[in-house]
Structure formats: structure tokens, C-alpha cells
Amino acid sequence: MNIEQVLAQAEQLLAAWNKETIHPESNRLDVVIVADDLRAAVIALHDAHWGYLSAITGLDLGTASAQLEALYHFCNGPAVASLRVRLPRDQAILPSIADIIPPASFFERELQEMLGFTFSGLNISARLFLSDDWPENVYPLRADFTLDQAAPVAVRQPDKLPEQGFVGGNTFVIPIGPQHPALKEPGHFEFTVDGEIVTAARMRLGYAHRGIEKAAESRNWIQNLYLFERICGICSHTHAMAYSIGVEKLAQVEIPARAQAIRELVAGLERIHSHLLWLGVTAHEAGFDTLFMYSWRDRETVMNLLEQITGNRVNYSANLLGGVKCDIGLEQAKAIKEGITYLETRIRHYLEVVTTDTMFLNRTRNIGTITFAEAENFGLLGPTARASGITRDVRIEAPYGAYTRFPVSVVTETKGDLEARCVVRLKELLVTCLAIRTIVDNLPEGPLTARMPRKIPAGETISRIEAPRGELLYFIKSNGGETPARVHIRTPSLCNWVSVLEKAVGRQLADVPMLIAGMDPCFSCNDRVVTVRHTGSNENWSWKQLREYGIEYYKR
Amino acid sequence: MNTLTSLFTILIFPAGLTLVLVGMLYEWIDRKLVARFQNRVGPRWFQPFADALKLFAKEQITPEIVNPYLFFGLPIAALAGALTAALYVPLLGLNPASNFPGDLIVTIYLLSLPTMCVGLAGWNTSGRFSLIGATRALTQLFAYEAPFLLAMLGPALVAGSWQINTINSYTQNHWVIFTQPIGFIVALIGLMGKLELPPFDAPEAETEIVAGALTEYSGRGLALFKIGKSVELIVGLSLISSFYLGGLNGIPSFLLKSLTLLLIMSMFQVLLTRLRIDQTVGLWWRFGAILVLAQLVVTILWKGFSL
Amino acid sequence: MKFGTMLKDVVESFFKKNVTQLYPIEQTPTPERFRGNLQYNPAACTGCCLCVKDCPSKAIELVTLDRAAKRFVLKYHMDRCIYCGQCAINCRFKCMGMSNLDWEHASLNKKEFTVYYGKDEDIEQLMANIAKPAVDSTDK
């Protein structure tokens, strides 16, 4: 079935509630519906197994129109069908679909906090991204939001700590985070433990807030490229790539083949970097420090390669709107090949270690098993999903850029436990190494950039990229100016959190860090969506005050 | 004069201050070996001393809900236990400072005192991480104590005495490691469990419960616990090398044998993943205890036949 | 049942040199494309300000002393710069580049982070202009 047929199928499924059909791009279908029909439409798509819910975008259509809009994006292979619902600003009530599709609860909470939608049936008022002392009824992503509205409530309440110590009997609540040796980035988990067995799990995100989505609205298109790159250190190139591809689609500029190939090359190297880092972190959580040290030592090889090619070890800035900055000459090609040969040997060795070392397998085999059905229900993405047998990989379902010319093969496992996730990631690296070699040998000739206008024509676009952690979705809306009107980013880690919370219950406490590491969380990718408060606060704490505060805090 | 000599032996050399310094030296050697195995540089020779000095210089923050006497006293008790155990062991290859029949049992009991102090300290501070750490520490204590004692008993049986001094002189001529290899392995791994070295560091698993029972300790208390651990290391190494590796009769033989054991222990640390606490206990009660019991039975039978 | 799968690595490392680089005693040279400090060639500059417009962190300010005579001074905030290289790409006259040798910027003083680039006499004049208001006020 080609894209038109797939989209026609979706259109047919939604025929009963369809108020208006728009085809903004060749692979997209927008169906306008009213709020009351939302649940029926979602159930229709869900029951027919037409794709999966990838993201829910919220838009503020401006104070003049006094309307908000919510878009529900369903992805099926390369086709994307979006349900659009328009609501008045002060009465933005939508029915929640979290009971049909579990990961929707995270998306709905984001819209609830950022834009002020109300989801009836979603009985979670606890903040997900915004801090607990953010004032009520102030929605950062609305167009009429100004910074002085964001003053914290008068008396700062201490962060809601869970009940200290005992909660009756043998149970107590263990917090992991925001500062904890298990986490590489801050996040907060609360595990209710009975002895050593976990009985309940809760989480809180938003500790690495930087206000990126809002900040993007006041920077021009080129400045935003560098802003989005810095959302995350290990998926930085994929963010820049997703943004560039989206903007190039809006401007209808075709970038040269050489640039596309180089983008794929750098993305491949980044994948190697990311998965080796992940391997080290998982080994460290398990207590296998040797594997941690060795895999990070080998990560230096790929970082040096990236430095040679692009000029920086992290935040490569290889992308430009319209192409790439750095070329691959003979010297770089030779270095890449040598580096990749070395890395392939090491990756094969790690694959062997991970699958045969008895002590390491004691910590990974049959732990955190997610079956195929559960993975589909949770809406998982990336290697976490592929380890349970779901063949979900944007590079294969909806190839972008040079992936049509230099394809990669999909790697899946069936068991779905932590060992399977390790194996999927390492095997993916072997596939990536092969692809990199092919690209270096067959780099197409041509220029590196295409000319891009400074004002991008009006329109909306969705670009989907396979980041090392899963599918990354960028929704970019332009009003024809020099700055974007709205950029919504849905990162893969947000979808995968459900797996940790569900699977932690019933397992031992010692498995929890492994479970968290197993889904390869990227907290920096998650937390982007709050305005940074200016520290024009009147309090200036002296060193002495800070010290005393810290000591008093720790005495409790 | 006798009192003065005794005091000198207990406080300065070879127990007391020298023991503490040698303990820290061995801790450095262990860390350096582990680093070299992991292709890293490792700390410089004065690192453990610098750590101890730094901790002594830092302020000790006492949580509000603890019993202050226990909070201050437990680190001291832990260190005292380890130092006292050292008096009956051929420390640095020299004669034990004191000996009496049955001092093997006393030494092993005193060696388990630091672990019990850690468990009690964790319960005392009653923070969430400390409680879990304390529970794990005590669980591990129950698990490995029995096999370790039985492994120490093997050489005692063949030497026909409960006195460490006598056993030491017996093993000068008989290398028990060849006749009781299983006992040796159990003893060595038991020592790693006692000291909470990886892979048995579940009680202080950094990535799960921050620092286990010692989470709330800082400054002096933490320094004393750590020094107690390094002293335990020396005492344990002396015991095992004296019992299994042909006795200790001087500083060179002590250095050679204990450093060999340290090398083997470092390799275990580097090659193995941390075990969960239930896996540790399962391992010990299934393999450790049964194996060493079998070993003992063989030894008893053999000794019985050769009498 | 396999234990110690990394035995070969571990034993080999014991006899090999360690991989730690004892910086700053040992230093590897940076690759040619490394993006370090900004370099500005005032001779070619026409004052188009494309670099200023697209800088993501407002790290460049271009002070015009005399537009007709092409006398510009570039005020560069080293602490705001994110070393992305967009300014170098934007410049049509190739007056901007990123050095690969000048990148060790640790300092005890924030003053060192504002750098003025340009011809010497231009910089002197700019400094004089900045200092002038103080001179004026004391005159009164």
C-alpha cells in the first residue's frame, strides 16, 4: 500500500466525524473534528490499528482569534494523520484519551500545564514539568504570557517530599533523585518499597527546564538551529537534523545529495557515541565498572572522529539550514574507516560480554520483560520497543534524507527483557558501522548547501527522525516571518517512561536503576517547555546563608 | 617496662598507628590495581591519607533524630573492634601481641564488630537509604559469617588448636592451600563479603542507595568507619595468608603473601558485576556453606584416619 | 556459565600504558577544524552585520567608527559565544574564522572575556570615545 492508500484508509475511518480535510503535505492528512467526537475518532483509529499516537501538539492561535488548537498526530509508516480540534481560549475542555492510549497521559499533562487545556477524565493535577511553586492559571506557551506573570507564589513552599521513613509496617518510600548517583541527569522517582520489593512507583520530571519551546518563538530561524541542538548533548545532531529537514520542507528547498549523505554519516557516528555511552551507564548501574570504563574509553575514538570532522566533540553544529557545514575529505575518510574498524571489533566484544557474562546476565536476563502486546499498548519507541519485537524505526518506515540511498536494516529481538535491549542497541551499532562505511566509500559529489530564504513561507510541517532513543517528532509552524510561530518537540524518552513505572512494581529495589537505565532516558530531551524565570529576585543569599540552609535541610 | 612495651605494641607498632597507616597503604594499592586493570591511572600514593585528613577536618553534621551517643560512639566502637582483633593475629609477620587458647574465635568475633556497628549506625540514623543499607549489611553478615568461620576452622583442625599462634607455626611447614583448596577460595571470597568489596557491595551500592548505612555520616565518623575497614582488610589478609599460604614469619613473607592475595581480590573486583542482595545470600547459603562443609567433612575424616 | 569475560582486556591493560591523558602536562593537538576562539580580519570587513544578526547568543557587536572609510571595531563576548561558527559561515568576505589553537579560556577575571578586534588605531579611538563621558563630567 502506498501513502495515498494508507491516508485514504484513515480518511475513511474518520468519515463519520470529519468536518474538514486538509492535505498540508504529501504524506499528511489533517482532519478537523469537534471536541465531542474526539474519543470516538481515536477509538476508531486505535481499534483498526491504524498507526500509533505519536504526539499531541497544542497551538495558541493568537489573542485575536481567542482560540486554542490541539492536534493529535497518528503515525502509520510514512503517513501521518492529525486530528485537529479548535476550542475557545477560556473554555478549552477536551475529553482525556489516557484510558485508551496510556502514553497520552504525559502528552495531555504537558498541554494542561503549558497551554491551559482541561482534560476531563484525566484526574492528575500534579505538575509534570512546571515547578510546584509556579503560580496557578499562568500558562507559559500562551501568546499573551509575559515574564512578570511568572513570579513564584509569595512564600516558597518546600518541595513536596514524600512521607519520610515509615508508611506503616515495613513499607517506606524511597526517593531516587533529583540528585542521586543512579541518575546522570535530575529527575524524581518515588518508589514505595516493602522490604526490598517495590510496590508502587511515581515520577516527576522537569528539573532540567530551560524554556526552549518558548525561547524559539523569539529567535530567528538560524538562531533556533543552534538552540535546538543544545536540547541534548547526545542526540544533538538528530535534533538539528529534524529541525533543518522541517524548515527545508516548509521552504520547499531540496538540499544536495552530498549534504544529505554527510548528515546521515554524522548521525550514524552520533548513534555510536550515544549507545556506547548508554552501555557504560548501564554497566555502572549494574556495578560492572570495568565495562563502564572500557566502553567509555572506546567512545573517545568516535568523539575524536567527530571532532576531526565537525570541529567539536559534543554539539557538533554540523547542520546548516540548507545543508551541512563540514565536508569529508580524503583525510577524514581515512580516519573514519580506521576508527570504525577499531570500533567494530570492540562492539563485537561487548556484544559477547553482554550475552555471555553470567554475573551481568544475573542482573539483566528476564528483568523488566515487556511483551509485544504490552509494548504496543504503552506506545513505546526506539530500541526499547524493538527489543520486544515491534518493528518501529523511522529510518525504515519513513526514510528521510539519505536513508533511501543508504538504507539500514532494522534490528529486533523478541524477549523484551533488559538483555534484549542491550543486544538490540549493540547490533544496531554494527549495522550503523556498515552504513557509515558504505557512505564514506560512495559519497555523492556536489555542493554542500542550498540557498535558503531568510523568511520561511507560512505553513505547518512535521518532521520525524530516528534519534538514538526512538522517534523524534518536530511540529514546526511558520507565519511567513523571520521567527517561527510555534515549534513543538516530542522526544522519544517521554513515551518510554511508562515502561519504567509499570515494570518497577513487583521487582526488587536493586533492579530499579537498571530499569531506568534500560530505557535510555534522556532527561535533557524531556524538559524543554518552561520559560526561564529571570533571576531578578530580591533575595541575594550570601554564602553564609546558603551554607546554613544546606545544613538545616540535611538535619531533617 | 612491660606495660610500656605493651602500650607501645598496642598503640604504635605493629598495631595501632602503624596498622592504620599500613591499612591505608593497602587501600591505595587496591585502588591502584583496580585502576590499572581498567586502563586508568589511579590515585597517587597519598590519596587515602589525604581522604582521611580531609574527612577529619570537615564538620560533622548530626541529624536531629539520632541518638547522639550512638552516633558518636559507633564509629569508635567499629575501629576499636578492628584494632583489637589485630592484637591476636601475626600482624606484619611478627608475633601476635597476645595469645591464649581460643583466640581464633575471639578474633573472628571482633572482626564482625565493625559490620554490626555499621548496621546499628544505619538503623540509628533511620533515613530511608540508611535503613535499607543497614538491612542489607546485616543480611550479608548472616550470610557469609558461617562459611567464613568454617573456612577458618579447616586449618585449625589440621593444626589441632584454636590458637592463632600455634596454627601459624604449624602452617609454616604445611601449605594448607594445597590440601584444602575449597576452604581457601571460600575464605578469600568471604573476606570480600566481609569488607563489602565489589561484587558484594550491595550494602553500599552507590547507584541504588547512595551510600547505604553510612549515608548520613560525614567528617570524623565517616573517617573512623573507613579506617576501620582498611584495618579489617589487613587483619583479614594476615589471617588468610597465615592459615593457608604457609604461615607468616617476618615482614617480607607478609608483604609477599598478602600482596598476592590483594592482587587476586582486585581481579575479582574488576571482573564481576555487583550481586543483588538476594543473589548474595543465595550464593552463600547454597554454594559457600555446602562446599566448605564438605571440605570440613573430608578434613575430619582424613585426620581421623591418619591418627 | 562464563565468568570474567573481560579477563583478556583486564590483563592486557595491566601491562599496557594507561589511556588517561595527564592534561595539562600532556596535550594532544586539536584538529584543524576545531572551533575555538573567533578571529576577525578588519581589512576585509564591510560592516554588513550578518554575523551580528544570526548569532544565537548575541556575542558579537559591531561598532562603526566610520562607515565610508570602513573602520569597524568588533566587540566579542567570549563568555557568551557558543562557538557554533555561524558567523564565520555568514560572512561573505571571509573576515571571520574560528581558531583551533586558542581555546583555553579559563580566567579569574570577567574583564578578559570582552575582546575588541580591529585595527589598532580604531581600537584606540573607540577606547577614547568610551572614556570620554567621564572626562566631560569632571570638566563641569
Side-chain angles (χ1 to χ4, degrees):
Chain A
M1 279 218 291
N2 60 15
I3 297 187
E4 280 89 33
Q5 288 169 322
V6 170
L7 286 175
Q9 202 183 32
E11 207 173 333
Q12 208 181 14
L13 285 167
L14 298 168
W17 313 282
N18 190 346
K19 295 279 176 286
E20 192 188 336
T21 309
I22 315 167
H23 279 270
E25 287 174 290
S26 60
N27 66 328
R28 280 178 57 202
L29 167 75
D30 278 356
V31 171
V32 180
I33 58 176
V34 292
D36 293 328
D37 295 334
L38 179 65
R39 278 185 71 92
V42 168
I43 291 176
L45 285 175
H46 185 71
D47 286 345
H49 291 284
W50 197 97
Y52 56 93
L53 178 69
S54 187
I56 304 179
T57 306
L59 290 178
D60 185 345
L61 297 174
T63 36
S65 64
Q67 279 190 323
L68 297 177
E69 192 171 9
L71 289 92
Y72 289 69
H73 303 291
F74 284 82
C75 296
N76 185 348
V80 178
S82 311
L83 302 172
R84 300 182 82 118
V85 188
R86 270 195 203 175
L87 300 159
R89 280 182 92 121
D90 40 0
Q91 269 280 326
I93 304 182
L94 280 171
S96 165
I97 58 170
D99 51 336
I100 313 169
I101 303 177
S105 67
F106 278 104
F107 305 144
E108 287 173 356
R109 283 167 78 181
E110 183 185 336
L111 257 68
Q112 210 177 21
E113 283 180 0
M114 297 298 158
L115 281 160
F117 282 88
T118 313
F119 287 92
S120 55
L122 180 77
N123 296 323
I124 307 176
S125 57
R127 295 257 165 85
L128 182 65
F129 289 119
L130 294 173
S131 64
D132 287 335
D133 62 353
W134 185 269
E136 296 282 335
N137 298 328
V138 173
Y139 305 113
L141 280 177
R142 287 214 178 175
D144 54 353
F145 172 79
T146 49
L147 275 176
D148 49 356
Q149 288 175 349
V153 295
V155 176
R156 188 176 198 278
Q157 302 295 326
D159 291 339
K160 290 197 183 64
L161 295 172
E163 302 87 38
Q164 297 263 11
F166 290 109
V167 187
N170 224 2
T171 34
F172 43 128
V173 180
I174 303 277
I176 293 197
Q179 275 89 28
H180 193 276
L183 304 173
K184 300 307 159 202
E185 289 156 321
H188 184 67
F189 299 87
E190 283 162 21
F191 294 102
T192 314
V193 191
D194 183 357
E196 280 270 335
I197 307 285
V198 175
T199 49
R202 273 182 17 221
M203 66 179 287
R204 178 92 169 71
L205 295 175
Y207 291 92
H209 282 171
R210 288 150 294 162
I212 290 183
E213 284 188 10
K214 187 79 181 175
E217 293 172 14
S218 53
R219 286 169 165 69
N220 72 31
W221 294 97
I222 300 182
Q223 288 173 331
N224 276 328
L225 180 64
Y226 298 102
L227 180 66
F228 291 130
E229 209 178 43
R230 280 152 179 78
I231 289 181
C232 178
I234 30 181
C235 358
S236 87
H237 179 82
T238 37
H239 278 280
M241 202 157 77
Y243 175 72
S244 310
I245 289 182
V247 174
E248 283 150 15
K249 269 205 273 189
L250 272 180
Q252 285 168 344
V253 168
E254 179 87 27
I255 67 166
R258 193 178 176 90
Q260 286 180 345
I262 295 179
R263 273 189 186 167
E264 187 181 333
L265 178 76
V266 176
L269 286 173
E270 185 182 60
R271 191 173 302 266
I272 299 178
H273 170 200
S274 172
H275 285 321
L276 280 178
L277 185 145
W278 169 85
L279 181 66
V281 168
T282 306
H284 182 61
E285 309 280 359
F288 195 6
D289 275 344
T290 311
L291 184 58
F292 169 47
M293 297 291 171
Y294 278 97
S295 56
W296 279 43
R297 180 197 69 177
D298 296 327
R299 194 179 70 116
E300 292 294 309
T301 312
V302 75
M303 290 183 98
N304 286 338
L305 270 179
L306 281 163
E307 196 185 15
Q308 257 190 322
I309 302 172
T310 61
N312 205 354
R313 282 156 58 96
V314 182
N315 292 335
Y316 325 121
S317 298
N319 277 310
L320 276 179
L321 287 181
V324 293
K325 265 193 200 128
C326 46
D327 199 2
I328 309 283
L330 283 173
E331 201 186 302
Q332 282 87 21
K334 184 160 161 289
I336 295 175
K337 286 217 190 127
E338 277 172 12
I340 296 286
T341 315
Y342 171 72
L343 283 170
E344 269 182 335
T345 331
R346 294 305 299 174
I347 294 171
R348 289 215 170 83
H349 176 59
Y350 295 138
L351 194 54
E352 197 196 315
V353 167
V354 154
T355 45
T356 54
D357 190 298
T358 318
M359 306 273 290
F360 192 68
L361 285 175
N362 269 342
R363 300 298 299 271
T364 55
R365 196 164 263 181
N366 295 329
I367 295 183
T369 312
I370 302 183
T371 60
F372 185 90
E374 279 175 334
E376 268 200 331
N377 194 21
F378 291 156
L380 296 183
L381 299 171
T384 319
R386 294 201 276 279
S388 300
I390 302 184
T391 328
R392 198 172 273 176
D393 188 335
V394 184
R395 295 172 295 173
I396 293 160
E397 294 179 326
Y400 49 91
Y403 283 101
T404 38
R405 199 171 161 159
F406 301 105
V408 291
S409 48
V410 73
V411 177
T412 54
E413 288 282 314
T414 45
K415 262 186 97 186
D417 57 0
L418 284 175
E419 185 196 350
R421 291 178 218 167
C422 291
V423 169
V424 162
R425 290 188 170 101
L426 287 173
K427 281 194 180 159
E428 256 181 27
L429 287 189
L430 290 174
V431 164
T432 310
C433 285
L434 196 61
I436 291 177
R437 239 191 255 281
T438 320
I439 296 178
V440 169
D441 284 334
N442 302 314
L443 211 53
E445 295 298 325
L448 285 181
T449 54
R451 196 162 170 73
M452 285 279 285
R454 277 196 84 84
K455 291 197 180 169
I456 306 292
E460 290 174 354
T461 181
I462 292 183
S463 66
R464 295 160 63 206
I465 302 288
E466 183 76 13
R469 276 153 197 79
E471 175 193 328
L472 179 65
L473 188 139
Y474 265 64
F475 174 88
I476 306 176
K477 178 174 170 174
S478 166
N479 281 338
E482 285 205 7
T483 62
R486 172 92 169 97
V487 181
H488 179 235
I489 308 166
R490 199 274 298 131
T491 51
S493 300
L494 192 60
C495 296
N496 288 342
W497 284 120
V498 190
S499 67
V500 169
L501 293 179
E502 295 285 326
K503 286 293 148 185
V505 176
R507 299 256 21 138
Q508 298 226 1
L509 183 63
D511 292 326
V512 160
M514 295 292 290
L515 284 174
I516 297 177
M519 59 152 278
D520 200 0
C522 188
F523 292 89
S524 311
C525 276
N526 268 328
D527 309 333
R528 305 145 271 102
V529 288
V530 169
T531 304
V532 173
R533 271 199 294 267
H534 273 318
T535 46
S537 65
N538 302 329
E539 297 190 68
N540 261 320
W541 281 30
S542 67
W543 171 243
K544 192 161 171 296
Q545 276 177 306
L546 271 173
R547 188 173 159 274
E548 278 169 12
Y549 177 75
I551 294 177
E552 277 310 308
Y553 183 87
Y554 278 105
K555 280 194 181 170
R556 285 184 267 112
Chain B
M1 252 356 252
N2 237 351
T3 326
L4 220 55
T5 337
S6 300
L7 270 179
F8 183 77
T9 314
I10 293 174
L11 291 177
I12 310 287
F13 183 88
L17 192 61
T18 320
L19 179 58
V20 166
L21 292 175
V22 174
M24 293 207 263
L25 178 71
Y26 268 60
E27 187 192 327
W28 170 71
I29 297 178
D30 177 52
R31 283 168 73 172
K32 191 77 176 172
L33 278 175
V34 167
R36 283 279 166 205
F37 282 135
Q38 292 174 347
N39 213 195
R40 297 182 283 132
V41 174
R44 289 200 279 180
W45 63 269
F46 49 77
Q47 187 70 39
F49 306 101
D51 285 340
L53 272 179
K54 177 204 79 169
L55 279 174
F56 276 120
K58 293 233 180 220
E59 177 181 355
Q60 179 159 303
I61 298 178
T62 317
E64 284 172 347
I65 43 176
V66 300
N67 180 338
Y69 298 111
L70 275 181
F71 192 78
F72 285 117
L74 282 171
I76 302 176
L79 183 59
L83 284 174
T84 318
L87 293 176
Y88 304 106
V89 169
L91 213 49
L92 303 183
L94 308 168
N95 279 329
S98 157
N99 51 58
F100 57 87
D103 62 10
L104 176 61
I105 304 295
V106 173
T107 308
I108 294 188
Y109 170 71
L110 283 171
L111 274 183
S112 62
L113 196 59
T115 318
M116 287 201 276
C117 287
V118 162
L120 205 57
W123 171 84
N124 191 21
T125 50
S126 62
R128 287 147 296 197
F129 299 124
S130 319
L131 280 168
I132 294 195
T135 320
R136 287 187 185 183
L138 292 173
T139 314
Q140 202 161 289
L141 176 77
F142 290 137
Y144 65 68
E145 200 60 37
F148 186 67
L149 180 61
L150 293 173
M152 291 288 111
L153 234 45
L157 265 180
V158 288
S161 152
W162 290 94
Q163 195 168 327
I164 297 184
N165 213 5
T166 323
I167 303 174
N168 193 22
S169 34
Y170 174 82
T171 51
Q172 306 268 355
N173 308 317
H174 301 86
W175 279 56
V176 183
I177 180 176
F178 296 118
T179 49
Q180 298 184 23
I182 299 176
F184 171 68
I185 295 180
V186 173
L188 194 63
I189 300 186
L191 184 64
M192 290 181 72
K194 209 187 226 335
L195 296 168
E196 288 168 14
L197 291 172
F200 303 111
D201 60 345
E204 50 152 31
E206 178 202 42
T207 53
E208 297 154 27
I209 46 177
V210 187
L214 299 179
T215 313
E216 302 295 333
Y217 271 87
S218 53
R220 214 172 42 235
L222 188 61
L224 289 176
F225 268 124
K226 284 194 162 177
I227 296 177
K229 191 154 277 181
S230 357
V231 169
E232 234 186 297
L233 172 69
I234 299 280
V235 174
L237 284 177
S238 310
L239 262 182
I240 298 185
S241 42
S242 135
F243 279 28
Y244 282 96
L245 288 182
L248 295 175
N249 51 11
I251 295 188
S253 85
F254 169 77
L255 281 176
L256 183 66
K257 292 173 186 170
S258 57
L259 285 176
T260 317
L261 283 179
L262 195 58
L263 184 71
I264 301 177
M265 276 169 54
S266 302
M267 291 215 53
F268 277 143
Q269 280 183 54
V270 159
L271 289 174
L272 303 174
T273 314
R274 180 188 308 139
L275 289 171
R276 276 201 321 245
I277 193 69
D278 62 319
Q279 292 168 341
T280 316
V281 172
L283 177 79
W284 277 111
W285 282 118
R286 265 182 286 157
F287 293 111
I290 295 180
L291 279 177
V292 79
L293 274 175
Q295 173 84 76
L296 267 183
V297 164
V298 167
T299 314
I300 295 175
L301 285 177
W302 186 50
K303 191 150 192 230
F305 282 136
S306 63
L307 266 174
Chain C
M1 289 274 275
K2 247 183 121 180
F3 292 99
T5 43
M6 301 205 66
L7 184 62
K8 188 160 164 292
D9 288 308
V10 156
V11 169
E12 266 178 11
S13 295
F14 197 60
F15 300 105
K16 274 195 314 200
K17 188 174 175 306
N18 58 66
V19 293
T20 317
Q21 187 185 67
L22 290 172
Y23 180 84
I25 306 171
E26 298 172 15
Q27 286 195 29
T28 44
T30 48
E32 208 188 305
R33 293 186 185 177
F34 185 74
R35 295 194 299 268
N37 219 7
L38 189 64
Q39 286 175 323
Y40 170 70
N41 179 7
C45 180
T46 58
C48 69
C49 285
L50 266 178
C51 53
V52 179
K53 239 198 224 173
D54 280 339
C55 177
S57 46
K58 299 198 176 57
I60 306 182
E61 288 172 32
L62 198 69
V63 181
T64 312
L65 291 170
D66 189 344
R67 201 177 181 91
K70 294 226 181 116
R71 292 175 65 197
F72 305 103
V73 171
L74 191 101
K75 189 172 171 194
Y76 173 55
H77 296 275
M78 238 157 58
D79 48 345
R80 291 191 210 165
C81 177
I82 59 173
Y83 303 98
C84 64
Q86 183 66 36
C87 48
I89 301 267
N90 269 2
C91 182
R92 290 171 292 177
F93 306 98
K94 305 273 176 290
C95 28
M96 310 275 262
M98 313 238 28
S99 154
N100 72 324
L101 297 171
D102 179 15
W103 52 274
E104 285 159 302
H105 293 150
S107 160
L108 291 169
N109 195 340
K110 268 268 199 173
K111 279 212 209 86
E112 287 183 24
F113 287 134
T114 310
V115 181
Y116 291 93
Y117 284 122
K119 298 202 191 81
D120 289 331
E121 59 268 17
D122 294 341
I123 299 180
E124 271 170 33
Q125 186 173 343
L126 180 66
M127 288 295 136
N129 288 347
I130 294 177
K132 239 211 225 147
V135 173
D136 276 345
S137 59
T138 52
D139 263 354
K140 304 222 172 19

